[in-house]
Amino acid sequence: MRIRPMLLAALALAILMAPPAQAAPRTSFRIAWSIYVGWMPWPYAAEAGILKKWADKYGIQIELVEINDYVESINQYTAGAFDGVVLTNMDCLTIPSAGGVDTTAIILGDYSNGNDAVILKRSGPDDHPKLADIAKRKVNLVELSVSQYLLARALDTAHLTERDMTLVNTSDADIVAAFGSPDVGAVVTWNPQVGEILKEPLAEKVFDFFRGTGRDHRYDGAQDRDAEGQPGARQGADRRLVRGDGADGSQQGRT
């Protein structure tokens, strides 16, 4: 709390040193998103005009930008290129936090419930590997992400550690193609990539969050500085977007 000067002689100096008037509220925001099944309503909302409808209601502009690489979207958000990003709760606690970015969760979009999975490659049509068979294999995944967390939870159930295998950092944009490589024995990823990989005849899902004991939450995060001078504007628009509220605030069902 600032202490007001009590001496008249100091009053003029205090006025000169006072901070400038607060800047006008921001009215334009950029949100980064990447491919994950639970985040697909965002591009639909942009294409269908739903996002613009609610942005117009609050007198703001929201630009939704697809980033082909999940971790890169978080990196760009942390660097200040975007005002918000869709990401998991644990990934919010790593890169942005380590970069000194104070982030607020705006929308809890969903939780994994089977959308993230550990997939092993079968040696043939009659081979049905178990999780324990991941030992000594090369495992491709997005390191330091929710995929590595899922792997750690899975390995605990099989009394294994990451030292029992070789981890290969792989972009989510490249993970489907990586599974087709002869030297890749396992992958850990999320939907829709999981669904694409499981179309391969030699793909065997051995663990996911549905079978496991942990839940991963995914949400839309925004830097706290974005809300300054615009309390509830973008946050309110986003919440109503997901709920599908009418312009008068009444709920119209999910979009």
Side-chain angles (χ1 to χ4, degrees):
M1 180 177 180
R2 293 183 60 185
I3 300 176
R4 295 179 180 275
M6 301 301 296
L7 300 175
L8 293 178
L11 180 58
L13 178 62
I15 294 175
L16 291 174
M17 294 180 63
Q22 186 175 9
R26 293 188 57 197
T27 59
S28 179
F29 302 90
R30 301 180 76 229
I31 310 298
W33 74 282
S34 56
I35 297 293
Y36 167 65
V37 65
W39 297 331
M40 299 315 292
W42 288 104
Y44 169 78
E47 294 168 5
I50 299 172
L51 197 59
K52 183 179 185 303
K53 168 187 173 181
W54 289 105
D56 288 347
K57 175 177 178 173
Y58 287 92
I60 62 176
Q61 293 180 333
I62 301 176
E63 180 186 4
L64 192 68
V65 180
E66 179 182 357
I67 305 297
N68 194 42
D69 183 292
Y70 171 60
V71 172
E72 181 59 23
S73 71
I74 303 175
N75 287 336
Q76 290 192 31
Y77 162 74
T78 303
F82 291 92
D83 306 297
V85 65
V86 289
L87 75 172
T88 71
N89 53 356
M90 65 191 64
D91 292 333
C92 177
L93 295 173
T94 54
I95 300 174
S97 294
V101 176
D102 192 4
T103 300
T104 296
I106 303 298
I107 292 178
L108 177 60
D110 73 340
Y111 58 92
S112 178
N113 200 30
N115 281 316
D116 300 78
V118 179
I119 303 173
L120 269 59
K121 185 176 294 182
R122 300 158 61 190
S123 60
D126 298 326
D127 179 35
H128 296 284
K130 304 299 183 184
L131 177 60
D133 297 320
I134 198 172
K136 298 183 179 180
R137 297 197 184 201
K138 183 182 291 187
V139 182
N140 290 61
L141 76 170
V142 178
E143 287 188 335
L144 305 179
S145 75
V146 62
S147 291
Q148 192 161 358
Y149 171 73
L150 172 63
L151 178 62
R153 297 297 294 265
L155 295 179
D156 282 345
T157 68
H159 306 290
L160 295 170
T161 71
E162 292 179 355
R163 292 188 296 272
D164 296 313
M165 61 211 64
T166 301
L167 301 187
V168 180
N169 188 28
T170 306
S171 166
D172 52 301
D174 301 324
I175 200 80
V176 175
F179 187 78
S181 176
D183 62 336
V184 175
V187 297
V188 187
T189 187
W190 51 79
N191 266 320
Q193 288 90 331
V194 166
E196 289 300 311
I197 293 172
L198 290 178
K199 292 178 182 178
E200 297 291 331
L202 297 181
E204 184 91 7
K205 182 166 71 170
V206 296
F207 192 90
D208 58 30
F209 272 128
F210 184 78
R211 302 181 193 185
T213 58
R215 284 187 173 183
D216 153 62
H217 295 82
R218 289 170 159 86
Y219 53 69
D220 170 24
Q223 295 188 23
D224 283 348
R225 62 179 174 79
D226 300 334
E228 296 177 2
Q230 193 64 266
R234 193 179 70 82
Q235 295 95 325
D238 286 350
R239 290 193 186 100
R240 287 168 173 78
L241 165 66
V242 170
R243 289 205 311 259
D245 291 1
D248 60 353
S250 62
Q251 291 198 11
Q252 304 294 322
R254 295 183 182 274
T255 55

